[in-house]
Amino acid sequence: MITKKRIIASLLAAPAAFAFAAPAMAQTANGIAFANPTSVVGSSKAFAAANQQISTTYKTSFDQMQQRRTALDNELKPLVAQLDTNKDGQVSDEEIKAAQTAKNPVIDKINAAQTNAQNDIGKLSNPAARAELFAIESILRQYEAAQLRVVTAKKIAVVLSPEVFMYAPDSADISEAITAEIDKTTPTVSIAPPADWQPSRETLQIQQQLVQIAQIRAYQAAAQQQQAGAPPAAPAAGKPAAGKPAAGKPAPAKPAEPR
């Protein structure tokens, strides 16, 4: 029987960058299949619904985070300008190195401003990050049963994690099938954890992977728009797309110690 520990082991070894959209479901290769729990969670209806609810519930916090970022930019502009010794409107690596060598106090002021802003934003993001963690863990609780249903229906003998394969046909990926099973039974989950709830280490890691995937997609979209000559589109704060963390949400600032 496939155990939760095996599921978590495949999660921990899963690469951070992959596409959520899995190939069309088909028969697996000789009874051997693979699945990616991060992909399953990120593609699920429950995760999309949870992020939409989070974006609404914590909109004020997201707005405050954006305001804090703007305040940081305004604070840094005059400081950075002091490092622009040749007054060309840019701070080169050489100018930064020169300031560090000379122990220019402006460097310390910039570092302090950034640290203070990160701490403030971390505090503001903590409730939303905790809500998302609870949603992720709730979805993961459905994973083993959903995978077992897929394994039984497709007569699969072995399920491995993706990085084990050097080559596998698209039909060997059952991530989409597992997502479909979870969508049937759990289209929504709560984003309100109990006061004494603590996220597991595995839940924290899957959230970090989802954040990384969203960032990679954002960079790719910005690069494509730049190549096309179009200005990058700024996402609306607090309005995530399915499978992505809420827009404007930074990486979680450790809302709780993992179990």
Side-chain angles (χ1 to χ4, degrees):
M1 179 177 291
I2 299 169
T3 66
K4 182 177 180 182
K5 288 185 178 179
R6 291 184 183 178
I7 293 171
I8 295 307
S10 68
L11 164 64
L12 295 179
F18 55 83
F20 282 143
M25 284 181 264
Q27 293 299 315
T28 57
N30 299 320
I32 299 176
F34 68 88
N36 194 315
T38 306
S39 176
V40 170
V41 171
S43 301
S44 67
K45 292 180 180 179
F47 186 69
N51 265 309
Q52 186 59 48
Q53 189 177 355
I54 289 169
S55 70
T56 301
T57 303
Y58 298 99
K59 182 180 184 305
T60 300
S61 296
F62 292 136
D63 291 343
Q64 290 173 343
M65 282 187 276
Q66 186 56 51
Q67 292 168 3
R68 186 64 182 90
R69 294 189 190 98
T70 301
L72 174 63
D73 289 342
N74 293 335
E75 184 179 0
L76 292 181
K77 284 179 182 177
L79 295 173
V80 173
Q82 295 180 48
L83 302 180
D84 182 16
T85 54
N86 62 3
K87 306 303 178 184
D88 65 349
Q90 297 179 348
V91 178
S92 65
D93 291 339
E94 290 74 16
E95 287 171 326
I96 294 175
K97 290 178 181 178
Q100 291 173 335
T101 300
K103 296 184 178 180
N104 191 326
V106 171
I107 296 291
D108 291 335
K109 291 180 181 180
I110 290 174
N111 290 335
Q114 291 175 330
T115 299
N116 290 337
Q118 289 171 355
N119 290 338
D120 291 342
I121 291 172
K123 292 176 183 177
L124 289 168
S125 68
N126 199 11
R130 181 175 168 81
E132 185 181 70
L133 284 165
F134 186 66
I136 290 171
E137 195 157 294
S138 297
I139 297 168
L140 283 175
R141 291 193 193 104
Q142 310 303 316
Y143 190 100
E144 185 173 359
Q147 181 173 255
L148 183 58
R149 291 195 295 273
V150 173
V151 165
T152 302
K154 292 180 175 289
K155 297 180 173 59
I156 296 170
V158 179
V159 179
L160 302 173
S161 54
E163 77 285 349
V164 171
F165 288 83
M166 293 184 65
Y167 167 78
D170 290 343
S171 60
D173 186 358
I174 60 171
S175 300
E176 185 181 15
I178 295 173
T179 300
E181 287 297 322
I182 293 177
D183 287 347
K184 290 177 185 177
T185 62
T186 315
T188 61
V189 291
S190 172
I191 63 168
D196 60 347
W197 176 79
Q198 300 294 334
S200 68
R201 190 177 302 278
E202 294 77 21
T203 302
L204 285 166
Q205 184 158 354
I206 199 170
Q207 186 193 53
Q208 290 169 356
Q209 290 178 350
L210 290 167
V211 170
Q212 290 171 358
I213 293 164
Q215 290 173 339
I216 290 171
R217 285 179 166 179
Y219 294 148
Q220 290 174 338
Q224 291 174 354
Q225 290 176 339
Q226 187 174 12
Q227 290 176 353
K239 293 185 179 180
K244 296 184 181 180
K249 184 191 330 179
K254 290 190 177 180
E257 288 300 320
R259 293 195 296 268

